[in-house]
């Protein structure tokens, strides 16, 4: 299925808020149909903000000349967003649990953890520079 | 400015209007640390008008809470809606902060 929306943005964290709202606005009609629309909206916003932030700061090393690609695909069963940076990728499996007592007081390390908690599926490509976020529509309706 | 600062007795109230995210977390940090430097010790962050908080936003709250505690003060959180409260529960940060239901409760118990 072709993406519903594709756009690129520079690695500038000040652009994240608008990019998130652009995606959420495109999903607006679908989200409003969900029983827990506010929860779906927030989960999508937070997870996408995390993915964009990771792509800009870690993937592209905050180099504004490097871009981030965002794709949104809406199917009958899911809202799927893919965020891809130009970086070399990173080891997404080596992420410590931020909820352990020794990690709780650390100011960072919660981004990927939150993505995984808020969405139904989070997957990375082999290189580790592209993350796909899947929010299942039917599952949300069953809540 | 997404942060509105007010004073109620000894309590500094900071309302987060909009989102607390990677793009503006430094502003909140600056506001709290400046107030801490000038002697404020009791902080109440009011989330009644907040859209969402990302991991950077959560991180800055953790970092500020630690700094305030080191100075003998406390940073409490108020008026988190159900969705925002879930973020704190998922990350277990609800065990780290005193969270009150409303600004009024925070001022009453402060």
């Amino acid at each position: 299925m072709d993406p519903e929306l594709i756009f690129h943005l520079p690695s500038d964290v000040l652009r994240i808020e608008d990019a998130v709202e652009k995606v959420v606005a495109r999903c607006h009609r679908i989200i409003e149909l969900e029983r827990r629309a506010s929860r779906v909206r927030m989960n999508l916003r937070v997870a996408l903000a995390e993915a964009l932030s990771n792509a800009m700061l870690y993937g592209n090393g905050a180099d504004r000349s490097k871009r981030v690609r965002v794709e949104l695909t809406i199917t009958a069963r899911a809202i799927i967003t893919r965020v891809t940076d130009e970086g070399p990728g990173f080891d997404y499996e080596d992420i410590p649990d931020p909820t352990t007592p020794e990690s709780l007081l650390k100011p960072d390390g919660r981004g990927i953890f939150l993505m995984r908690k808020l969405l139904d599926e989070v997957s990375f490509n082999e290189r580790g520079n592209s993350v796909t976020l899947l929010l299942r529509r039917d599952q949300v309706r069953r809540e | 400015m997404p942060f509105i600062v007010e004073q109620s007795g000894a309590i500094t109230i900071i309302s987060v209007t909009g989102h607390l995210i990677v793009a503006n977390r430094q502003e909140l940090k600056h506001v709290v640390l400046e107030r801490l430097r000038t002697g404020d010790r009791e902080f109440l962050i009011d989330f009644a008008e907040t859209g969402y908080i990302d991991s950077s936003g959560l991180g800055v709250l953790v970092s500020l809470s630690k700094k305030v505690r080191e100075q003998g003060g406390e940073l409490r959180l108020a008026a988190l809606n159900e969705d925002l409260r879930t973020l704190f529960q998922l990350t277990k940060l609800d065990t780290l902060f005193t969270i009150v239901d409303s600004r009024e409760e925070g001022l009453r118990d402060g």
Side-chain angles (χ1 to χ4, degrees), chain B residues 13-25:
Chain B
I13 308 159
I14 301 172
S15 302
V16 180
T17 61
H19 313 303
L20 178 56
I21 54 178
V22 64
N24 62 20
R25 63 179 165 158

Side-chain angles (χ1 to χ4, degrees), chain A residues 7-129:
Chain A
F7 60 94
H8 296 81
L9 60 162
S11 296
D12 178 355
V13 293
L14 295 177
R15 300 286 297 273
I16 290 177
E17 192 175 339
D18 285 346
V20 168
E21 292 314 311
K22 192 172 180 172
V23 170
V24 172
R26 185 60 72 97
C27 303
H28 175 73
R29 215 172 290 173
I30 290 160
I31 291 174
E32 288 305 310
L33 292 174
E34 302 291 343
R35 193 182 301 166
R36 303 188 67 181
S38 72
R39 174 65 57 88
V40 173
R41 202 178 295 112
M42 196 199 68
N43 289 3
L44 183 59
R45 277 177 168 148
V46 174
L48 185 54
E50 299 298 344
L52 290 168
S53 177
N54 280 346
M56 290 176 179
L57 298 177
Y58 303 113
N60 286 344
D63 179 348
R64 289 186 187 205
S65 70
K66 291 184 176 171
R67 299 197 306 167
V68 174
R69 176 186 168 97
V70 181
E71 295 168 59
L72 168 68
T73 304
I74 299 171
T75 71
R77 299 180 66 86
I79 296 169
I80 304 160
T81 47
R82 178 173 294 141
V83 174
T84 307
D85 60 61
E86 296 182 43
F90 73 96
D91 184 2
Y92 53 85
E93 288 182 347
D94 187 26
I95 307 289
D97 180 354
T99 64
T100 59
E102 60 271 23
S103 295
L104 208 56
L105 287 169
K106 290 182 182 170
D108 47 25
R110 296 181 179 85
I112 290 176
F113 174 86
L114 267 184
M115 277 196 268
R116 286 183 166 142
K117 288 286 184 186
L118 298 175
L119 300 175
D120 296 302
E121 287 176 29
V122 176
S123 56
F124 293 82
N125 65 350
E126 198 173 335
R127 180 170 147 187
N129 72 324

Side-chain angles (χ1 to χ4, degrees), chain B residues 3-55:
Chain B
F3 308 110
I4 299 168
V5 185
E6 298 162 84
Q7 197 72 30
S8 177
I11 301 177
T12 304
I13 308 159
I14 301 172
S15 302
V16 180
T17 61
H19 313 303
L20 178 56
I21 54 178
V22 64
N24 62 20
R25 63 179 165 158
Q26 292 299 341
E27 280 181 64
L28 178 64
K29 192 171 184 177
H30 176 78
V31 168
V32 173
L33 292 184
E34 185 56 27
R35 290 282 185 147
L36 193 62
R37 193 184 64 79
T38 56
D40 292 4
R41 292 293 179 266
E42 299 299 322
F43 295 85
L44 187 65
I45 312 292
D46 184 347
F47 291 98
E49 301 295 327
T50 307
Y52 65 96
I53 305 171
D54 71 7
S55 66

